[in-house]
Amino acid sequence: MALDRYATAVERTIFNWYFGGENAPVEPVFNTLQMGIRHGMQVYVPIETPDVLARMLGDPEKLKAGDTYTCGQEVPIRFRHIAEDPEGNYLIPVFTSQEELDKGESSSVINQTFGDLIKALDRWPQCQGLVINPWDKRMILTKESLEVVKRHVPKSHISFVRGSVLDLHVDAIVNAANKSLLGGGGVDGAIHRAAGKELLQECRKLNGCETGEAKITGAYAIRDVDHIIHTVGPVYSGKNRDADLLSACYWNSLEAARQNGCGSIAFPGISTGVYGYPLDEAAVVALRTIVRWFEAHKETVMNVYLCCFKDAEYEAFMRLLQ
Ligand code: AR6
């Protein structure tokens, strides 16, 4: 488990940033880091051996100044260094969760707020910055990029992703369901298979869902997702009402996410599969609605991922953006 939900959010945005590949935007990561700074996000920071720490704690006065950190009371602690070069420049490793920590060599750690840690870096000229989760999906933040993070104003953001909603680590994924909410083909089938039988059990209690509405459940066996938001898109008919209903799906899903404290949500192309909504038309509705929702909820920071399972869906968004 991560130490707190802000650290989980950072871990998730970094995962998604890797998944997005070369051109993936970094804003979602900066959003979660800045939110972490604002809310006292706790991270794990490896320190020197317990013996050394014990000695330090025993007689703090005898410690030399220098590479130490004062943590609350007068307890100097030396952080572990990583990637030290011949000139003695180094990075400090930082972990968002015990799982990330356990992927590499063991070490004693202390809990530290991310904000205090980056403030302290100014005192260490040879420290070049931090490496978040160095053992796996690492993110190196030099002192310069940390300055950018410190000044970053978090705001809602849309990322376009080639892949399935099930590829991402987010607080909520959206399911393009049918009115019964009891499973089906397409993304609905994939989500039910991944979440397991318990999802169906919870869905049975929901008494279905009207077109354009959204209902939330747990994510069960889908480990890196907290909630599933089930929405029912319109079957494309070519009438004006289609767009209103499709728009309601995006709006109501975002509302369900916000009301349940989610800071990230992944959408499939609702109605663009079995329900036959033309991709270019659906892309306009999706994008307009999400942007309108952002405008209406300026106080909320939501990292939205629009997942394009088919290349044609991604291309429709790119045409629209041009
Ligand atoms: N994994 C991830 N995404 C997928 C998958 C998959 N296996 N299959 C399709 N998509 P669709 P709809 C993407 O057809 O049009 C179900 O049977 C697809 O590329 O799943 O809203 C329900 O029970 C597109 O972006 O949903 C309903 O009866 C998105 O998922 C009906 O289909 C939606 O395509 C709903 O039709």
Side-chain angles (χ1 to χ4, degrees), residues 164 176-178 183-188 190 268-276 307 309-310 313:
S164 158
N178 59 56
V187 71
D188 194 4
I270 299 162
S271 285
T272 59
V274 176
Y275 283 178
C307 298
F309 190 63
K310 293 174 289 200
E313 294 175 296

